[in-house]
Amino acid sequence: MSAEPPIDRSGRSGSIGLVVLLAGALVGAAIAVSFLKGESAQPWILALLAALSVVGVFALFAGAVGLIQFASRGSRDDLARAIAATAEEGVLVTDAGGRIVFANDAYLDLTRAEGPGAVRTVERAFAGNADVAEAIYRLSQAARAGKRAFEEARVTLPDGRGAWFRIGVRPITRDGAVETVWTVADVTRERERHENVFQELQHAVDFLDHAPAGFFAAEGDGAIVYMNATLAGWLDQDLTRVGGGALSLREILAGDGAALVGALAPKPGAVATEIIDVDLKTRGGRSLPARLLHAVAWAHDGTPGASRTLVLDRGPGADVSEPLRAAEVRFARFFNNTPLAIATVDIRGRILRTNAPFARLIGERLKGDAGERSIMSALASDRDQAALAAAIEAAAGGAGDVAPVDAALPGEGGRSVRLFVTRVDDADGDGEAAVVYALDTTDQRALEAQFAQSQKMQAVGQLAGGVAHDFNNVLTAIIGYSDLLLANHRPTDPSFQDIMQIKQNANRAASLVRQLLAFSRRQTLRPQVIGLGDVLAELRMLLSRLLGEKVKLELVHGRDLWLVKADLNQFEQVIINLVVNARDAMADGGTVTVRTRNVTAAEAPTFGYRGLPAADYVMVDVEDTGEGIPPEIIDKIFEPFFSTKEVGKGTGLGLSTVYGIVKQTDGYVFALSEPGEGAIFRIFLPRHVPVEAEEAKPIAAAAAPQDMTGRGTVLLVEDEDAVRAFGARALASRGYTVLEARSGVEALEQMETHAAEVELVVSDVVMPEMDGPSLLRELRKKQPDLKIIFVSGYAEDAFKKNLPEGESFAFLPKPFTLKQLLQAVKQTIGG
């Protein structure tokens, strides 16, 4: 190809003829001047020199401004011109007016120009071709905007053939003028090669899509990026969902199939292929048996990469050996869907084969390379690993009865398993020494622990309740006789203060007994409909005083709190106990936050508390910023008399009282704590939906009347002699006629004689031979309208369930004072 372009108007070339002509003129002028003599030649000589000076100065300025090019710059232009002239793609340069400045041979060939005189601009060369006109227009617009642009367009040649041209345009600035460079390249062969490759790819995809086997490709995280039409048809999947993470292995593999596929032994730096029998899952939920030839590319660090999987249909009719196929499918389903995790191991515990539940339960906990993944590495403690190794060795030695191994698994959640090891009688030569069956016992152990804790709390509660009942009888007598003594002594008497000390200490003991009864859930509650937000707002001042200056109190109320039904005084005691405990846990100060909010039935299971039914609750959190509760004692904090405080600084009944009151209110209380991060006591109280008219429980001990005297006959039934003697003496001193009975049987005998006189029966609930409710039923047979007051150290609800529905009675809890006894008797007789 010639280095000289057919058209090049870009340079300013000189002419040797003009140089010769100029030199001849100068020589002639010099000869002519030489013939002149004297003064007549002087003007001509000066004129000639002036002309030469002007030409010299002009040449200097022309060189400075670039009008005259020197040899080095001209050589560079010649090189660039030669490169453009010999380029394989057509090059055309036009000036701002559209005049052609430069064109190479390739451009003439591509535009079918017969010579330099027939060369046309790109717009005119392709003007008659509608296919490329729009592309040329866009390129022209880009050039006018001073931008580079490229377009590919299909051109119909004069001979009818089609060709593809890549046309480009770019503006350049030369000597202050803007010129446009057009490039034209024939890319027909490149396009045809691309089309051939695309057609081959389309054929390959079509062959793969309609192959008699399924195929899918997945990323390392299980996201499916490709699925052929055959597999999509089997699974009734929409191919538009494939790709972009819209479909995953868990959506097409039934049961724990995804866990089984994801738990393959890693082979760093290699591509491993495994044969896996699983059940596919159609979009409608139907199972389809299949065999996977699963190839995974593993990274050098053991991370799974992309996988390619061939899927063979193992459904009915898919195999000529139908009985064998059906048996294999049934076995694969039994093997992968059993609740037992199953694996075969060699003598060293290395895992050889597993089922899907084993992969889900233990697969992620296995450590080591593919050839060294031992089942012992999945256990948390060395003791469990040694026990399992011994069991495998015993089974491999032919032992038929190997004791199961209970072991803990590492990781969060504290999961545990029971491992059963059996021998392999018909090993196929691949090193199988034993079969290990793993049963997840996490939930079972949690239930056992919960049941044991519940049984312990119930037993302690029964003991506490029994002790409290006996103490109540003793305290009733002490308080009662103290009142009798105080009634006969003036405050100025020397013994008055001693008696007061006796009564005050008896009341203090009665308070401890009430706490024991609260824990055993046998105290008397007076539930009423309350709004927790209002209750906490009223308690704020008291709680602030209890916390002191070093501890800050924050109340965070939920919006539109539901109502609950609880004993107001007892609930206040719950909050006070928790806040005081929080204060004591922050010796250096901190913050106590009391937070309330509603919890819906759908939200309740998300908390993860065992034994918390799905229902609507109002939740109360009491949170502190103390040191937290050590894990080893958090299960004991609700037990009575358990305390971490110093001797003399706590009774150990605060949290047990909280536990009992919440439980008796049909609520739930949980303790959450991390060492060094404070503690949270979380209470769930059931939501109460009020009805239009709710019945309030009658309260026997109402406001005290001024006059404590009265008339009438009272039958006092009490098996404790001291309590009965005190009650009889107190009532008799206020004008009542008192009949005494030590049991229900004696009370019936008294009624046989004095039935017409008795207006009121005051009876203990728990008595030998015949208890209070049984006595009431017998009395009602003959005297339906007889009034009765039950006296008990237990809660009213503890015995009310043994009475006929709608039975009317008054209740007086033990221990009671002289004043409370007289008020209850006078109010009941008067009512």
Side-chain angles (χ1 to χ4, degrees), residues 115-133:
V119 175
R120 294 169 294 172
T121 63
V122 174
E123 293 95 329
R124 294 183 58 194
F126 295 101
N129 214 310
D131 295 337
V132 76

Side-chain angles (χ1 to χ4, degrees), residues 323-555:
L324 178 60
R325 181 211 62 81
E328 290 179 349
V329 167
R330 281 196 299 270
F331 173 77
R333 284 180 171 172
F334 292 154
F335 189 60
N336 286 324
N337 296 326
T338 177
L340 285 175
I342 306 174
T344 58
V345 297
D346 64 9
I347 188 63
R348 292 192 294 170
R350 290 184 303 179
I351 296 174
L352 304 177
R353 294 186 183 88
T354 69
N355 68 345
F358 188 93
R360 175 180 53 81
L361 179 63
I362 299 180
E364 295 181 356
R365 296 176 170 86
L366 296 174
K367 303 174 185 177
D369 297 334
E372 296 296 332
R373 295 205 313 167
S374 171
I375 191 173
M376 268 74 82
S377 68
L379 305 185
S381 69
D382 296 338
R383 179 180 58 83
D384 295 339
Q385 293 176 7
L388 181 58
I392 293 175
E393 184 177 356
D401 188 8
V402 180
V405 177
D406 289 317
L409 299 178
E412 298 180 0
R415 304 200 70 83
S416 60
V417 293
R418 173 165 290 181
L419 302 169
F420 301 88
V421 183
T422 60
R423 65 186 183 184
V424 176
D425 293 327
D426 53 350
D428 54 5
D430 58 358
E432 290 182 349
V435 180
V436 178
Y437 303 87
L439 182 63
D440 190 346
T441 58
T442 307
D443 293 339
Q444 177 184 345
R445 289 200 170 191
L447 288 174
E448 289 175 354
Q450 182 181 354
F451 179 74
Q453 178 71 6
S454 174
Q455 290 290 96
K456 180 176 69 174
M457 298 294 274
Q458 183 177 355
V460 174
Q462 290 177 345
L463 175 62
V467 171
H469 176 264
D470 292 337
F471 267 99
N472 271 331
N473 286 328
V474 176
L475 292 173
T476 300
I478 295 174
I479 293 172
Y481 281 111
S482 297
D483 286 337
L484 290 176
L485 289 173
L486 290 173
N488 296 325
H489 288 73
R490 295 181 180 181
T492 57
D493 291 345
S495 58
F496 186 86
Q497 291 300 323
D498 296 336
I499 301 171
M500 282 297 297
Q501 283 293 328
I502 294 173
K503 182 176 180 180
Q504 288 173 3
N505 281 279
N507 285 331
R508 183 180 175 188
S511 176
L512 294 177
V513 170
R514 279 193 296 272
Q515 289 180 315
L516 285 175
L517 285 173
F519 170 74
S520 62
R521 288 172 264 170
R522 296 184 180 182
Q523 65 172 341
T524 301
L525 295 183
R526 302 296 182 189
Q528 62 188 86
V529 180
I530 59 175
L532 295 186
D534 297 335
V535 173
L536 293 175
E538 293 178 2
L539 272 179
R540 187 185 189 106
M541 293 300 296
L542 174 60
L543 295 177
S544 298
R545 288 197 298 270
L546 289 173
L547 291 176
E549 297 180 356
K550 295 172 63 177
V551 179
K552 180 183 177 182
L553 174 66
E554 290 186 358
L555 292 181

Side-chain angles (χ1 to χ4, degrees), residues 65-83:
V65 299
L67 294 176
I68 298 177
Q69 300 176 359
F70 297 98
S72 60
R73 181 172 176 178
S75 63
R76 290 197 301 269
D77 288 346
D78 291 343
L79 176 61
R81 187 166 57 252
I83 293 173

Side-chain angles (χ1 to χ4, degrees), residues 637-691:
I637 57 175
F638 291 117
E639 297 178 9
F641 305 113
F642 179 84
S643 177
T644 57
K645 300 177 183 178
E646 298 178 9
V647 177
K649 292 189 176 181
T651 62
L653 292 174
L655 289 179
S656 62
T657 302
V658 169
Y659 177 86
I661 293 173
V662 172
K663 285 294 186 180
Q664 197 170 353
T665 314
D666 296 328
Y668 301 86
V669 58
F670 302 96
L672 300 88
S673 179
E674 290 291 337
E677 298 184 6
I680 300 176
F681 284 88
R682 180 163 292 164
I683 298 172
F684 294 89
L685 296 179
R687 176 188 182 183
H688 177 73
V689 180
V691 295

